[in-house]
Amino acid sequence: MTTTDTRPTTTRPSTEYLDPKLNSRIPEGPIERKWERHKFEMKLVSPTNRRRYTIIVVGSGLAGASAAATLGEAGYNVKCYTYHDSPRRAHSIAAQGGINAAKNYRNDGDSVFRLFYDTVKGGDFRAREANVYRLAEVSMAIIDQCVAQGVPFAREYSGYLDNRSFGGAQVARTFYARGQTGQQLLLGAYQALSRQIGLGQVKMYSRTEMLDLVVIDGRARGIVTRDMVTGKIESHFADAVVLATGGYSNVFYLSTNAKACNATAIWRAHRRGAFFGNPCYTQIHPTCIPVSGDHQSKLTLMSESLRNDGRVWVPKTPGDKRAPSSIPEDERDYYLERRYPSYGNLAPRDIASRAAKQVCDEGRGVGPGGLGVYLDFSDAIKRLGKKVIEDRYGNLFEMYERITGENPYETPMRIYPAVHYTMGGLWVDYNLMSTIPGLFVVGEANFSDHGANRLGASALMQGLADGYFILPYTIADYLASTKLPKVDTTHLAFRETEAEAADRIKRLLNTKGTRTVDMFHRELGKIMWDYCGMARNEAGLKHALEMIPELRERFWREVKVPGEGNDINQELEKAGRVADFMELAELMCIDALHRDESCGGHFREEHQTEDGEAERDDENFSYVAAWEFTGLGTKPVLHKEPLIFEYVKPTVRSYK
Amino acid sequence: MNLTLHVWRQKNPQSEGRFVTYQAKDIIPDMSFLEMLDVVNQELIMKGEEPIAFEHDCREGICGSCGMVINGYPHGGHRGTTACQLHMRHFKDGDTITIEPWRARAFPVMKDLIVDRSAFDRIIQAGGFISANTGVAQDANAILVPKQNADAAMDAAACIGCGACVAACPNASAMLFTAAKIAHLGLLPQGQPERYTRVVRMVEQMDKEGFGGCTNIGECAAACPKVIPLDVIARMNRDLLVAKIKGV
Ligand SMILES: Cc1cc2nc3c(=O)[nH]c(=O)nc-3n(C[C@H](O)[C@H](O)[C@H](O)COP(=O)(O)OP(=O)(O)OC[C@H]3O[C@@H](n4cnc5c(N)ncnc54)[C@H](O)[C@@H]3O)c2cc1C
Ligand code: SF4
Ligand code: FES
């Protein structure tokens, strides 16, 4: 599917065993000069020429809205798509905790290099150094931009911006807007986007779902969508396509993601030739509200920021059923503080999640089913007073009480890990372009920057870095240096792709089976959580790889989708998404099985130290796994992008 | 517990809607209201009927997708709570619950409980922003914002665009929504240059969309799941007056 791009690059072939299909295009030169230099060397599209180019942006979350707004401001002709009724509802809205930036406003020793270092280390040395450095570099401009837009970040009494700390960092570099940072950042981007819509620079397609990507002569030239109100299948052409469609945690059915989050856009692009990077890297967040029963439809995150003041503990004795208040201090195990004294309760997510699983496996978990640990604020309330805690976390405490009926000012919260974020995604080069020329991928949908584990408050940073400050430059370089023949939606490729999409919908509606979409989705989620979740092993993954194709086959035989295709049909929407999850799930397990090491969020039980820490295998696995689709049911082809660490030498990732 | 539901069913904007009665069986108190509807819907699908269409996404009170009138109250009438955050422990066995969509001229019903709220987007497009192109910004700490202003701006910015204020208002007015954005931006130094053009344009658009006028009843703030304070409306009216005097 892919064509080799022959234009000259300044990229050095980074290693002897370079895969011809994977050119990461990392610019030459010292790391702190790469982006600057690359920006200078990239081609530009002059302001008067920009309106001649049409760019499709799928997704209006932080990454999509910031990209669409910025491209609109620059003068491109932008078309933006979302399945929501309004761009403001994207899942980014739910991010609570904050956004990182190396501002060093606290004078506590932060710097671009430290944020870069923390992110590479936090990602367990499985991210591309050059990308991470650039992310840290542009982080500061993001905060500036957001403040200019009117994002009401928390302030000190002096009027200056306030900061808090997040997991995996020893400096306070996280900016926040109460417990609604994602909301405020998204509203900032949404307002910038709205302005461009009002000016006619961006045409917004709400309630419109992308069903497939259209590739012509090896280049991304458009998309096929379904109008979710009329059911109409339509084609849209462009000179370049940007996917900003978010993560795929919902493959697990239960996750902290919004209900509609799905992988269709990136999965369809993968099927058309975009390689999928590190699909098995998923993040399990340590602080979520435990499952309360079979009816559970999604999981609710309690922001990591709570670990600034909350202390995590379980009883020392397995099976201790006493109320938390009647367990004396010396019979409690503050296991994070004990095992990781220098980071304590702020140990990174993968480590904190696994530690919770371990104590629960030992029978020391609390609450129904023993699947929970305490997050206790009584010390902080004693030290700082209830008012301060209320100011910091009031809305989170309320949220907890609403869901559980328990008051966290009086009794410790119960928390348990849940699937939260996917570090994996479509493989992109330094320019954020996938292996399909003209197809760019930004935000959580791409694989870049976070390696095998993402640090808290870094996803918002990455989404906005991509959308505001990186993509607008790199996409210009593509447009300026590529000769694109004129096409429109009468092209055969559009007709064919439309027909395929319509056919799938017909099949889903006509199966008229006996089981609902949710039943299948739950079943898939259980397989994934049991065998490709917090801990994985060879036997389990092999078992999952037998179960998933079988489930997929049953899905297409037995699924029951009520209603018709020509109006609002939420079951039909879900069915298409679950069908794609069923395919992606298999690739995740294949990747998890092939990666015979533990790293970050990917924990292979075969590879751990005596005290249960992950054991990486740099000699054999220091690469990005980029998978090429070869047809459903046939083995995908693995391409390796070697990771070279010139600035942060891989070490055992210790937070002790 | 077992409940009786009277739910508004309407195929599309053109067709007439009506209430249909369903039984919700074996509901447990830990379920959310939407999870209760999930249970009913799964049963409907198995019976070969179309499930109740309702909007939802985050299910944690922040995306503003969900919205339905429950027993006469938008979002169910619990202070600071969206429909998705409402839990079944607030109901008891044998209760009858009426569920209907937002009712407002500017929010036409699309299907069952789903209404078209795009009018809100158009109000924002008319002026609900600060015109700051990417790249123009100076260092973030060069702009000082007194904490009390930042906090008040944040209070107003917490609006999730759900539309409950409109649904609660006897005039179906969108004043609280519009005024919340005007207060958020107008309380910050960055929002000053466009302060008066913003209010004029947004109010103009609001009127164009067919929302009713405000007669100071206050139902909007009482129904608002984000507890947006009513005084944002007074602030907006002041700004509007100043704009008129200035001839904006
Ligand atoms: C509960 C929660 C809390 C979080 N808190 C934090 C935090 O404090 N700090 C932090 O840094 N990160 C946090 N994260 C992670 C972060 O929020 C996300 O990674 C990030 O917001 C993703 O942004 P995005 O723009 O890539 O995608 P999204 O915001 O998910 O947007 C995806 C967009 O794509 C559209 N879309 C998708 N598929 C299609 C399709 N086929 N057709 C049309 N449109 C489509 C959607 O409609 C949507 O507009 C949190 C995540 C969760 C779940
Ligand atoms: S003001 Fe309140 S009720 Fe109205 S849209 Fe905003 S959050 Fe909803
Ligand atoms: S579903 Fe998001 S606010 Fe209710």
Side-chain angles (χ1 to χ4, degrees):
Chain A
M1 259 317 164
T2 52
T3 55
T4 348
D5 198 332
T6 46
R7 87 198 133 98
T9 74
T10 53
T11 312
R12 95 209 114 128
S14 37
T15 170
E16 65 284 4
Y17 57 112
L18 191 74
D19 188 306
K21 287 190 176 173
L22 283 185
N23 183 352
S24 58
R25 291 206 169 83
I26 300 169
E28 288 285 4
I31 201 155
E32 58 283 354
R33 302 257 313 133
K34 282 183 198 292
W35 178 233
E36 209 40 56
R37 179 170 167 171
H38 192 57
K39 275 198 288 188
F40 179 69
E41 284 168 352
M42 278 187 295
K43 294 210 169 116
L44 302 171
V45 179
S46 74
T48 46
N49 274 340
R50 291 181 197 152
R51 70 191 140 77
R52 299 208 188 117
Y53 289 104
T54 300
I55 300 172
I56 281 178
V57 178
V58 187
S60 63
L62 281 179
S66 58
T70 305
L71 293 169
E73 288 162 7
Y76 294 101
N77 182 18
V78 182
K79 301 193 267 191
C80 183
Y81 300 78
T82 169
Y83 54 66
H84 287 105
D85 66 317
S86 159
R88 68 181 291 151
R89 310 226 194 268
H91 167 61
S92 294
I93 202 97
Q96 303 168 349
I99 176 166
N100 287 331
K103 281 283 199 186
N104 194 30
Y105 282 160
R106 284 305 177 92
N107 197 25
D108 57 1
D110 201 8
S111 62
V112 168
F113 197 87
R114 188 176 294 281
L115 175 54
F116 157 69
Y117 175 90
D118 286 350
T119 309
V120 171
K121 177 183 170 199
D124 216 358
F125 306 96
R126 289 293 173 262
R128 202 188 273 152
E129 272 191 339
N131 281 54
V132 178
Y133 193 89
R134 174 178 62 186
L135 175 66
E137 212 178 332
V138 302
S139 67
M140 293 171 282
I142 298 172
I143 303 302
D144 300 341
Q145 181 61 30
C146 294
V147 166
Q149 290 170 344
V151 169
F153 283 122
R155 303 252 166 193
E156 294 173 343
Y157 282 101
S158 57
Y160 288 105
L161 290 156
D162 193 15
N163 292 110
R164 53 167 61 143
S165 6
F166 252 54
Q170 287 172 317
V171 294
R173 63 161 74 98
T174 306
F175 295 79
Y176 66 101
R178 290 207 188 126
Q180 291 124 277
T181 315
Q183 179 197 28
Q184 293 311 315
L185 295 175
L186 182 62
L187 291 180
Y190 158 75
Q191 286 161 202
L193 172 63
S194 295
R195 180 170 154 244
Q196 295 307 309
I197 298 170
L199 293 170
Q201 272 310 124
V202 178
K203 179 153 172 46
M204 190 71 217
Y205 296 80
S206 297
R207 296 192 195 271
T208 307
E209 180 151 23
M210 165 182 167
L211 297 182
D212 214 334
L213 179 76
V214 179
V215 180
I216 297 175
D217 299 332
R219 296 184 182 276
R221 293 310 300 269
I223 59 171
V224 165
T225 60
R226 177 172 181 272
D227 180 321
M228 294 157 79
V229 180
T230 63
K232 229 174 139 211
I233 307 288
E234 287 164 318
S235 287
H236 311 262
F237 73 93
D239 297 299
V241 176
V242 182
L243 298 185
T245 51
Y248 52 90
S249 295
N250 278 350
V251 69
F252 291 87
Y253 186 72
L254 286 182
S255 85
T256 62
N257 283 19
K259 288 293 284 178
C261 290
N262 71 86
T264 289
I266 55 171
W267 185 255
R268 292 281 130 192
H270 173 59
R271 292 184 54 126
R272 300 251 169 227
F275 294 0
F276 209 115
N278 301 327
C280 81
Y281 288 168
T282 43
Q283 177 163 84
I284 316 274
H285 197 289
T287 54
C288 302
I289 299 180
V291 173
S292 72
D294 292 339
H295 58 269
Q296 193 89 31
S297 61
K298 75 160 296 226
L299 295 170
T300 302
L301 174 85
M302 288 280 102
S303 167
E304 175 159 302
S305 61
L306 291 167
R307 290 199 274 144
N308 271 300
D309 288 305
R311 298 180 69 195
V312 177
W313 64 276
V314 289
K316 279 190 177 157
T317 336
D320 189 338
K321 288 273 172 287
R322 286 175 291 174
S325 56
S326 29
I327 300 178
E329 218 29 55
D330 62 344
E331 292 178 41
R332 299 175 176 193
D333 179 11
Y334 294 90
Y335 57 88
L336 287 178
E337 296 170 22
R338 172 172 59 78
R339 287 177 61 180
Y340 308 101
S342 59
Y343 283 75
N345 293 296
L346 285 174
R349 293 178 172 175
D350 52 338
I351 288 175
S353 290
R354 265 195 309 274
K357 180 177 188 297
Q358 279 165 9
V359 295
C360 292
D361 288 349
E362 289 161 20
R364 298 196 285 143
V366 299
L371 290 179
V373 300
Y374 290 127
L375 179 63
D376 197 336
F377 291 87
S378 49
D379 284 351
I381 293 174
K382 253 181 254 153
R383 194 175 69 241
L384 304 163
K386 189 175 161 196
K387 176 80 180 62
V388 173
I389 296 300
E390 199 178 324
D391 275 354
R392 285 187 192 163
Y393 313 110
N395 64 324
L396 296 171
F397 277 37
E398 254 176 63
M399 189 171 196
Y400 180 85
E401 183 168 4
R402 227 180 257 123
I403 293 173
T404 62
E406 290 173 4
N407 178 351
Y409 293 104
E410 279 154 21
T411 184
M413 286 185 179
R414 278 178 302 109
I415 52 163
Y416 196 67
V419 182
H420 177 60
Y421 182 88
T422 47
M423 282 76 69
L426 291 185
W427 184 91
V428 288
D429 63 14
Y430 188 74
N431 291 335
L432 304 179
M433 189 165 85
S434 71
T435 51
I436 302 177
L439 179 70
F440 292 78
V441 191
V442 293
E444 192 174 340
N446 72 24
F447 90 104
S448 73
D449 300 9
H450 306 296
N453 173 58
R454 175 175 69 78
L455 290 181
S458 285
L460 302 182
M461 169 172 70
Q462 183 224 330
L464 291 180
D466 289 359
Y468 283 134
F469 296 110
I470 301 170
L471 177 91
Y473 289 91
T474 59
I475 207 168
D477 180 49
Y478 171 77
L479 294 171
S481 54
T482 312
K483 248 195 117 38
L484 291 163
K486 271 251 160 300
V487 296
D488 60 29
T489 55
T490 56
H491 192 286
L492 187 65
F494 279 102
R495 294 281 82 78
E496 281 173 0
T497 313
E498 269 184 29
E500 282 169 39
D503 189 56
R504 253 164 73 85
I505 287 177
K506 220 188 292 152
R507 265 179 76 198
L508 288 168
L509 286 167
N510 289 346
T511 303
K512 301 200 191 305
T514 49
R515 304 185 69 228
T516 66
V517 177
D518 281 8
M519 290 175 183
F520 282 105
H521 197 175
R522 279 178 200 272
E523 214 175 313
L524 177 69
K526 183 153 174 16
I527 297 174
M528 293 304 282
W529 179 248
D530 288 349
Y531 303 112
C532 198
M534 235 186 308
R536 302 150 176 196
N537 62 51
E538 184 181 339
L541 289 164
K542 285 189 167 154
H543 186 50
L545 282 170
E546 282 165 18
M547 292 169 84
I548 296 166
E550 185 269 333
L551 180 67
R552 194 164 60 218
E553 206 208 310
R554 262 197 295 131
F555 173 86
W556 282 103
R557 242 182 317 134
E558 295 173 14
V559 73
K560 190 180 177 79
V561 182
E564 290 146 39
N566 59 1
D567 71 344
I568 297 180
N569 187 338
Q570 295 174 314
E571 285 296 307
L572 177 63
E573 292 158 18
K574 271 199 284 191
R577 296 167 189 168
V578 171
D580 287 333
F581 278 142
M582 298 250 180
E583 299 182 7
L584 166 60
E586 190 175 2
L587 183 65
M588 290 170 71
C589 293
I590 290 174
D591 187 42
L593 181 63
H594 117 279
R595 191 166 281 280
D596 199 11
E597 63 158 351
S598 293
C599 60
H602 170 65
F603 189 71
R604 280 286 297 265
E605 285 169 342
E606 299 93 327
H607 303 286
Q608 52 180 312
T609 61
E610 240 160 58
D611 49 357
E613 304 294 344
E615 250 177 343
R616 247 183 19 239
D617 176 357
D618 288 339
E619 203 167 312
N620 295 303
F621 289 98
S622 187
Y623 61 77
V624 176
W627 297 91
E628 179 179 6
F629 185 80
T630 54
L632 200 58
T634 59
K635 219 176 149 21
V637 175
L638 173 64
H639 299 267
K640 297 178 181 177
E641 180 199 337
L643 292 168
I644 315 278
F645 294 94
E646 291 176 282
Y647 294 86
V648 188
K649 285 286 159 241
T651 49
V652 174
R653 189 167 147 248
S654 169
Y655 291 93
K656 294 204 182 228
Chain B
M1 59 185 153
N2 297 313
L3 307 157
T4 303
L5 311 181
H6 296 303
V7 185
W8 185 262
R9 302 300 307 260
Q10 180 172 339
K11 189 158 172 45
N12 54 39
Q14 292 78 38
S15 64
E16 282 205 7
R18 64 194 173 99
F19 281 103
V20 179
T21 303
Y22 301 100
Q23 301 303 321
K25 283 174 264 170
D26 303 324
I27 300 304
I28 59 170
D30 274 340
M31 284 181 186
S32 70
F33 195 82
L34 302 191
E35 284 169 344
M36 182 274 291
L37 287 179
D38 290 344
V39 171
V40 174
N41 274 346
Q42 288 293 304
E43 213 174 291
L44 287 177
I45 300 168
M46 289 309 283
K47 280 200 289 195
E49 290 175 39
E50 269 207 60
I52 303 159
F54 63 91
E55 269 183 311
H56 65 94
D57 199 18
C58 72
R59 296 203 173 194
E60 49 189 60
I62 193 73
C63 72
S65 296
C66 67
M68 50 191 82
V69 177
I70 302 168
N71 285 339
Y73 294 100
H75 292 299
H78 290 259
R79 192 183 147 80
T81 306
T82 53
C84 61
Q85 291 175 301
L86 181 62
H87 276 67
M88 295 312 292
R89 63 180 76 90
H90 297 292
F91 297 87
K92 54 181 194 311
D93 190 38
D95 275 0
T96 296
I97 309 176
T98 308
I99 309 171
E100 50 192 319
W102 291 165
R103 307 276 187 194
R105 187 152 64 98
F107 287 166
V109 175
M110 300 180 80
K111 182 170 186 167
D112 298 343
L113 305 174
I114 301 180
V115 299
D116 179 359
R117 286 173 283 197
S118 54
F120 272 7
D121 285 328
R122 289 187 293 272
I123 294 176
I124 300 295
Q125 285 157 21
F129 46 74
I130 289 170
S131 302
N133 280 5
T134 303
V136 299
Q138 57 187 328
D139 183 81
N141 258 348
I143 306 170
L144 295 188
V145 184
K147 187 173 184 327
Q148 62 274 22
N149 285 22
D151 286 349
M154 181 62 221
D155 287 341
C159 165
I160 57 174
C162 64
C165 46
V166 177
C169 175
N171 309 327
S173 162
M175 290 287 257
L176 194 65
F177 167 81
T178 309
K181 186 48 61 192
I182 286 167
H184 159 208
L185 301 176
L187 278 158
L188 298 171
Q190 308 90 297
Q192 296 315 307
E194 293 165 295
R195 180 167 170 183
Y196 298 106
T197 47
R198 178 181 308 121
V199 68
V200 169
R201 290 193 187 144
M202 288 178 77
V203 170
E204 244 171 46
Q205 188 64 34
M206 183 179 82
D207 294 340
K208 225 190 275 174
E209 296 291 344
F211 291 104
C214 174
T215 48
N216 289 316
I217 306 170
E219 290 287 347
C220 52
C224 172
K226 296 294 135 182
V227 206
I228 304 291
L230 200 56
D231 56 19
V232 295
I233 296 183
R235 200 188 148 82
M236 177 173 96
N237 285 332
R238 273 199 311 275
D239 279 3
L240 200 57
L241 196 69
V242 175
K244 288 235 171 80
I245 296 168
K246 288 186 168 200
V248 177

